[in-house]
Amino acid sequence: MFLNYLKNFFTQKIVKKSINNVNHVPLSNTIQTIGIIFDESYFYEKEALVQELIQKGIQENNVKVLVFKDKIKKTETFDYPTFCHKDLSWTATFEKSDVKEFVAQKFDLLINYYDTEKSALLLVSNQSKANFKVGFSSIDSKLNHFMINTNAENYKVFIEELFKYLKILNKI
């Protein structure tokens, strides 16, 4: 327990320092590929959110999902790639191939679908090669380019607001 607290503390420091050094690149093309990072601790309707994106005109094969769980049982099976705090090293790196692939993939849009700051989620979001990052206003404002002020349970409101502003910005 104490070691997990220390690991989380050191990771949080590394993430906060790297967030301060982020250079925002302006988005110049339309949204085709979308990556979504979920925190399954608070939000269980992943399929419904993905279906909302598909209804808005995004192709299903252009949506990639990565799920975070606080604890993963050995007997659990998942529909999507999943990671937890155990996959995070003391030097704030991931050894799990699913996380490495997700971070390395270039997305036009990354949706950070979590409203509580956890070091593993912040690290994945910060390391992502996405051109445009969207999240909740309760998360550090330096991490996302665009923030929506709602809670995670209101996924329909989140998607409506997101697409309303993407249309204004001529990105869809």
Side-chain angles (χ1 to χ4, degrees):
M1 178 72 178
F2 181 69
L3 290 177
N4 285 338
Y5 175 76
L6 278 177
K7 183 168 132 180
N8 193 33
F9 175 76
F10 288 124
T11 303
Q12 197 87 0
K13 282 186 76 173
I14 291 169
V15 169
K16 291 294 182 181
K17 185 183 280 187
S18 67
I19 286 175
N20 288 333
N21 298 329
V22 171
N23 292 331
H24 293 292
V25 179
L27 181 64
S28 60
N29 56 352
T30 61
I31 303 296
Q32 299 295 321
T33 58
I34 297 179
I36 308 172
I37 303 172
F38 285 107
D39 182 2
E40 198 173 76
S41 306
Y42 302 103
F43 185 74
Y44 303 103
E45 300 181 48
K46 296 178 293 298
E47 284 296 327
L49 183 98
V50 171
Q51 289 303 317
E52 286 286 323
L53 289 171
I54 292 168
Q55 289 177 357
K56 294 290 184 182
I58 304 297
Q59 293 183 10
E60 187 173 4
N61 59 346
N62 288 342
V63 177
K64 303 290 184 229
V65 175
L66 183 66
V67 178
F68 174 80
K69 285 190 74 153
D70 287 323
K71 292 184 180 183
I72 298 176
K73 298 175 185 170
K74 291 181 181 179
T75 59
E76 281 185 291
T77 59
F78 302 103
D79 297 335
Y80 298 109
T82 306
F83 72 106
C84 67
H85 278 291
K86 286 186 179 182
D87 299 322
L88 183 63
S89 74
W90 284 82
T91 57
T93 58
F94 288 99
E95 296 301 321
K96 196 165 188 178
S97 62
D98 291 337
V99 179
K100 285 182 177 181
E101 289 173 15
F102 187 87
V103 167
Q105 188 168 359
K106 284 203 166 250
F107 295 110
D108 296 326
L109 174 67
L110 177 69
I111 299 175
N112 295 314
Y113 207 83
Y114 53 88
D115 55 2
T116 56
E117 289 188 2
K118 295 181 181 176
S119 58
L121 290 165
L122 294 174
L123 185 63
V124 171
S125 298
N126 188 42
Q127 290 179 346
S128 174
K129 304 288 186 266
N131 294 333
F132 192 65
K133 297 177 183 177
V134 175
F136 291 96
S137 60
S138 59
I139 303 301
D140 192 342
S141 62
K142 296 174 194 153
L143 184 65
N144 296 314
H145 298 99
F146 184 72
M147 292 162 291
I148 297 174
N149 188 16
T150 186
N151 57 13
E153 291 79 27
N154 295 332
Y155 68 92
K156 289 186 179 186
V157 172
F158 183 88
I159 295 297
E160 287 297 322
E161 290 294 312
L162 173 62
F163 275 84
K164 177 171 75 173
Y165 286 104
L166 288 176
K167 283 180 185 175
I168 291 171
L169 296 170
N170 291 324
K171 301 303 171 198
I172 52 171

